[in-house]
Structure formats: C-alpha cells, structure tokens
Amino acid sequence: MATKKKKPIVLPKRLYPSQNERQYSRQLIAIVNELKHVGVKLADIIAIEMEKYDKENSIRTDAKAPIKRDVKTVKTILSGIKTEFDTVVSPKRAKLIAQNVDSKVTAFTMKTVDDQVRGVVTIPSTNIGEHKGFIKENVGLIKSIPKKLFGQIEEVVTENWTLGKSTGSLRDAIQERFGVAENRAMLIARDQVGKLNGQVAQERHKELGVTKYIWRTSLDERVRGNPSGLYPKVKYSHWAREGKVFRYDDPPPDGHPSFPIQCRCTAEPIIEELEGITEEEN
C-alpha cells in the first residue's frame, strides 16, 4: 500500500484592522487641528509684532540686504504659546486614547485569528489582556506630537523673525509644519496599529499551539524588496520571504511580520496537527 501526504490546509487571508487604524489616525489629527488654532493665534501675534518692530526700527522687509530683528521679543511670545501647546494633550487624554486603540485592535485581531482557523482547530479561551508596553509607548508618542510640533514652529518662527522675512513667509512656514505633523500622526497610527496587530496575532497563535508560520506579503509595489516596486533596495527584503516558513522562537533579523516599521505583512499559522498527515492510497 502506498501512502501520500495530504496537502496543507489553505487558510483564508486574515483581515487587517484598517478601521481601527483610521480611527486612531483621526484622533491624532484632531490633536494637530487643535494645535492649529494655537498656531494661527501665534502667527497673528507674530505678524503684528513684526509690523510694529519694523515700523519702530524703520525696517523695510523688501530691502535687498538681509535685516535681523532683535530675537528677545519673539522668544517672549513663544514662551507663552508653548504653555498653550502643553495643555492640549493631558496625560489622562493620551492614556485614554492609547487604551482605546489597544482594546479595539486586540478584539479585532483576536476575532480574525480565530475566524481564520475556526473549524480547523479547537478555539481555546484566551488570557490576552491589556498591553501595557503598547499603551506606555503610545502615550509617549501622543504627547510627543505637540512637543515636536512646537519645537519645529519655534525654529521657523525664530528664523523668519531674525532674518527679517515677511509675515506671508512666516504663515507659509507655520502651515507647512502642521502638514508635516499630520503626516507624522498618520504614520504613528499606521505603524503602531500594524505592530499591535502582529503582536496580538502572535500571542493568539501561541495560545493555539502554533509554533511556525508562513510569511505573507501584500504582493504589491509597497512591499519592501519588490524588484519592480517602490522600495527595491532594502536591507531586509520582505518580498523574498513571501511563502517561506519561519518559527516564532527564531525571528528574522528585523522581526516577525508587522513588527518592522510600517510593515503590512502577516503570519499565516501552520497548524502542526494537520501537516504531514498521511493516508492510504489504493
């Protein structure tokens, strides 16, 4: 009697928490928008002070030679604005946002992992709780938004003031900084939700007894290492890992799927009990 090996179980693709990412992104952009109101106020105050200073000191902003204004006045104004920036995100608000993201992403990922293997293995109860490390890191990231933004605004305001630039130039520079802050907010949401999604999936896989997984990519131009994609030259190619088997106790140099910054790859669990089973062939 000959024997043959059964084909490995092909599991459905696990969904990504896109809605949770968008919600987190909106919450962070809302913070940036609140800070914008303070930024507009700052631009108005600085513009008035610029005109006042230039008039008192007979400075022409259209002069060919660069003219430096005294920095003392602008430093005083910036000091008052910094206090307003610091009050936009309280520690309590940052923690509530981080806890909410943790709770929603954990629930979503747990469900998608269980749905992926339902009917293939017995679904055990879970011991996965709050991710204190994630919450702590994200509280820090949320609080860094006004801090980093103010530092950048302070730099452009001081530069525009001391180099004798126009109020229009100042407003454009401040507006640009807020655009950068919005992009950073979206990056934080995308990166952190992706990381937590991968972490929860790994934790649940271990509860299911999974020790190995198949590396899955999005198979598009954004996959790092794709020769014809956006990022062909990278240190660690995720494109080359597509379909390959990895062990949870032996991660790649840059980590398991979703752990590298902005990684969208996923781990498809290998159910050991169903791999390598043989049956008699007549």
Side-chain angles (χ1 to χ4, degrees):
M1 278 259 191
T3 60
K4 68 176 182 179
K5 187 177 287 189
K6 281 186 176 180
K7 292 182 179 180
I9 297 296
V10 178
L11 299 175
K13 186 176 181 180
R14 183 163 58 83
L15 299 176
Y16 177 81
S18 301
Q19 184 175 354
N20 300 137
E21 180 189 308
R22 288 194 293 270
Q23 289 174 341
Y24 192 17
S25 181
R26 284 196 294 267
Q27 288 177 307
L28 298 185
I29 289 176
I31 290 173
V32 175
N33 288 333
E34 289 177 42
L35 293 168
K36 269 185 185 179
H37 294 299
V38 184
V40 170
K41 177 181 176 181
L42 170 64
D44 290 341
I45 294 173
I46 296 294
I48 292 171
E49 289 298 325
M50 274 184 173
E51 293 175 1
K52 179 181 176 183
Y53 185 92
D54 294 350
K55 185 176 181 180
E56 290 177 352
N57 293 274
S58 301
I59 292 176
R60 288 177 53 206
T61 56
D62 61 346
K64 292 182 180 179
I67 302 169
K68 292 187 177 182
R69 300 184 181 97
D70 182 2
V71 75
K72 187 182 295 183
T73 301
V74 77
K75 288 294 184 184
T76 302
I77 297 170
L78 284 167
S79 177
I81 294 296
K82 183 179 185 304
T83 302
E84 292 192 46
F85 262 63
D86 290 342
T87 60
V88 169
V89 183
S90 66
K92 182 179 179 180
R93 180 182 181 184
K95 187 173 183 179
L96 284 173
I97 292 174
Q99 287 177 322
N100 181 60
V101 174
D102 175 48
S103 174
K104 290 185 179 300
V105 173
T106 298
F108 178 93
T109 305
M110 286 284 297
K111 183 179 185 305
T112 58
V113 169
D114 288 356
D115 287 347
Q116 189 180 37
V117 299
R118 196 176 304 280
V120 179
V121 296
T122 301
I123 307 294
S125 58
T126 181
N127 294 314
I128 298 175
E130 189 177 70
H131 297 86
K132 293 182 179 179
F134 172 86
I135 292 171
K136 182 179 179 180
E137 180 177 0
N138 279 263
V139 166
L141 287 168
I142 294 166
K143 291 170 66 176
S144 76
I145 291 175
K147 182 178 180 180
K148 193 175 184 71
L149 180 56
F150 178 80
Q152 293 173 339
I153 288 177
E154 181 180 36
E155 184 178 335
V156 298
V157 167
T158 302
E159 178 185 353
N160 276 259
W161 176 275
T162 57
L163 296 183
K165 294 185 179 181
S166 67
T167 56
S169 175
L170 170 70
R171 292 181 189 279
D172 288 344
I174 291 177
Q175 187 64 36
E176 182 183 351
R177 290 298 97 195
F178 279 103
V180 171
E182 285 189 7
N183 289 336
R184 180 168 179 263
M186 290 187 287
L187 186 151
I188 289 173
R190 186 162 57 248
D191 179 59
Q192 291 298 304
V193 168
K195 279 185 170 63
L196 183 59
N197 179 49
Q199 180 182 343
V200 175
Q202 179 178 336
E203 292 170 350
R204 186 54 169 164
H205 285 168
K206 289 182 177 179
E207 288 186 332
L208 294 169
V210 174
T211 60
K212 295 186 292 186
Y213 63 86
I214 301 172
W215 190 291
R216 295 301 187 194
T217 72
S218 301
L219 295 174
D220 59 23
E221 62 179 9
R222 290 176 57 198
V223 177
R224 60 192 78 185
N226 181 348
S228 59
L230 299 175
Y231 316 105
K233 297 181 180 180
V234 292
K235 186 175 182 180
Y236 301 112
S237 173
H238 292 186
W239 183 265
R241 294 176 185 170
E242 168 65 33
K244 292 186 177 180
V245 175
F246 293 85
R247 295 185 61 88
Y248 274 122
D249 60 3
D250 186 22
D254 56 338
H256 294 301
S258 300
F259 282 79
I261 186 168
Q262 297 199 70
C263 173
R264 299 171 300 135
C265 301
T266 58
E268 181 183 308
I270 295 176
I271 311 301
E272 293 284 3
E273 299 92 318
L274 300 176
E275 298 292 341
I277 296 178
T278 59
E279 62 179 7
E280 291 186 349
E281 183 181 52
N282 293 322

